[in-house]
C-alpha cells in the first residue's frame, strides 16, 4: 500500500515571491520543502532517502507533475513550469 503525504504551499502572484514549508511523516526518511520561486515555476526539494514527486497546481490549466524520483541519499530538487501561474506547489511522498 502506498502512502502519500502532500505538502502544500500557496503560491504568490508576484514574481520572485517565495513560500516555503517543510513536512515529513514520523517514519519517513525524507525531509521536503516546496516553493514558488517564480510566478510560473514550482520547486520541490527533498533530503534523505525515499520516493517523491513535485506537483504544480496551475492557473487555467491541469495540474502538472514530475516523474517519481527515488533517491537513496543527499538532496535533490525538481522544477515544474505552468503557462500562466502556479497556484500551489506540493511535494508528494510515496
Amino acid at each position: 500500500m502506498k502512502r502519500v503525504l502532500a505538502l502544500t504551499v500557496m503560491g504568490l502572484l508576484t514574481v520572485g515571491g517565495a513560500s516555503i514549508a517543510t513536512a515529513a511523516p514520523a517514519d519517513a526518511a525524507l525531509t521536503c520543502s516546496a516553493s514558488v520561486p517564480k510566478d510560473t515555476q514550482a520547486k520541490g526539494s527533498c533530503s534523505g532517502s525515499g520516493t517523491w514527486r513535485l506537483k504544480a497546481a496551475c492557473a487555467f490549466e491541469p495540474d502538472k507533475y514530475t516523474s517519481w524520483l527515488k533517491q537513496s541519499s543527499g538532496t535533490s530538487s525538481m522544477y515544474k513550469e505552468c503557462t500562466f501561474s502556479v497556484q500551489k506547489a506540493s511535494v508528494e511522498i510515496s
Side-chain angles (χ1 to χ4, degrees):
M1 171 190 261
K2 286 190 176 183
R3 189 172 91 189
V4 175
L5 168 73
L7 169 74
T8 303
V9 178
M10 297 304 296
L12 301 177
L13 294 179
T14 57
V15 173
S19 299
I20 300 174
T22 303
D27 60 345
L30 286 171
T31 301
C32 299
S33 65
S35 64
V36 182
K38 297 180 183 176
D39 189 40
T40 59
Q41 184 182 68
K43 177 184 179 185
S45 297
C46 289
S47 297
S49 62
T51 304
W52 65 283
R53 71 178 177 178
L54 174 64
K55 174 186 173 184
C58 302
F60 311 113
E61 62 185 313
D63 295 345
K64 296 185 178 182
Y65 297 84
T66 61
S67 298
W68 287 99
L69 173 65
K70 184 175 183 177
Q71 67 184 53
S72 56
S73 65
T75 300
S76 297
S77 296
M78 291 193 272
Y79 297 86
K80 201 66 183 174
E81 296 283 333
C82 294
T83 303
F84 302 102
S85 67
V86 176
Q87 299 297 302
K88 292 186 292 187
S90 59
V91 170
E92 296 179 346
I93 298 172
S94 171

